[in-house]
Amino acid sequence: MADERDRESTEIAVAELHKKIKEAFEVFDQESNNTVDVREIGTIIRSLGCCPSEGELHDLIAEVEEEEPTGYIRYEKFLPVMTEVLLERRYRPIPEDILLRAFEVLDPAKRGFLSKEELIKYMTEEDRFCGLLEL
């Protein structure tokens, strides 16, 4: 009985992860064809709470890329790899104090918030946000 509950709990957790992964992927699937530009993968992964190093990111991209790189990543290849990454907690979340220091760098006026436009700018500038986390 307990094994069955554990299995059901795991299935629910995996289904929730799949939903989060799909939602994050769809934000960058500009043509709604289940593909994203390979350059967006780091942003997608980071939006899911992971912040791999550049080397780890390149390894992950190599894992989900087609044998003949096209510059695009297919959802069907991304989903199982990202599910495994999240289940294993492979790239631990950044500690809260480091996030706070990064936020303070982005908020020099000490307003205590960022506008939507500021956040979009910071999150879309290549590696700027994760670079701040290494402060």
Side-chain angles (χ1 to χ4, degrees):
M1 187 79 163
D3 287 342
E4 187 174 322
R5 272 187 264 146
D6 288 345
R7 185 179 52 77
E8 287 176 8
S9 177
T10 300
E11 288 175 4
I12 291 169
V14 168
E16 289 174 8
L17 284 179
H18 284 182
K19 182 180 178 201
K20 287 180 183 180
I21 294 167
K22 180 72 172 167
E23 289 171 353
F25 195 91
E26 286 177 341
V27 169
F28 294 93
D29 184 3
Q30 302 298 319
E31 297 178 18
S32 299
N33 62 358
N34 285 327
T35 63
V36 296
D37 188 302
V38 70
R39 295 172 293 189
E40 304 294 355
I41 291 298
T43 304
I44 295 169
I45 292 169
R46 290 177 184 111
S47 76
L48 291 166
C50 301
C51 203
S53 68
E54 282 304 305
E56 291 167 331
L57 180 59
H58 288 289
D59 291 346
L60 197 58
I61 288 171
E63 198 173 338
V64 297
E65 227 173 4
E66 300 295 326
E67 288 188 28
E68 288 293 319
T70 62
Y72 292 91
I73 302 297
R74 290 183 311 117
Y75 176 72
E76 295 80 27
K77 290 203 66 168
F78 183 73
L79 178 65
V81 172
M82 198 63 219
T83 301
E84 184 179 323
V85 164
L86 292 172
L87 286 172
E88 292 175 355
R89 300 177 197 264
R90 196 179 301 173
Y91 309 113
R92 294 189 163 194
I94 303 299
E96 191 175 312
D97 63 319
I98 294 174
L99 288 174
L100 182 57
R101 287 194 343 240
F103 179 83
E104 289 169 348
V105 169
L106 299 176
D107 181 27
K110 306 231 182 286
R111 298 176 300 171
F113 66 91
L114 297 174
S115 69
K116 177 181 175 183
E117 292 76 21
E118 290 169 321
L119 186 58
I120 289 170
K121 176 183 171 213
Y122 293 136
M123 294 299 288
T124 57
E125 287 181 5
E126 188 174 327
D127 296 328
R128 178 176 172 136
F129 189 73
C130 276
L132 286 170
L133 299 177
E134 295 170 4
L135 293 173

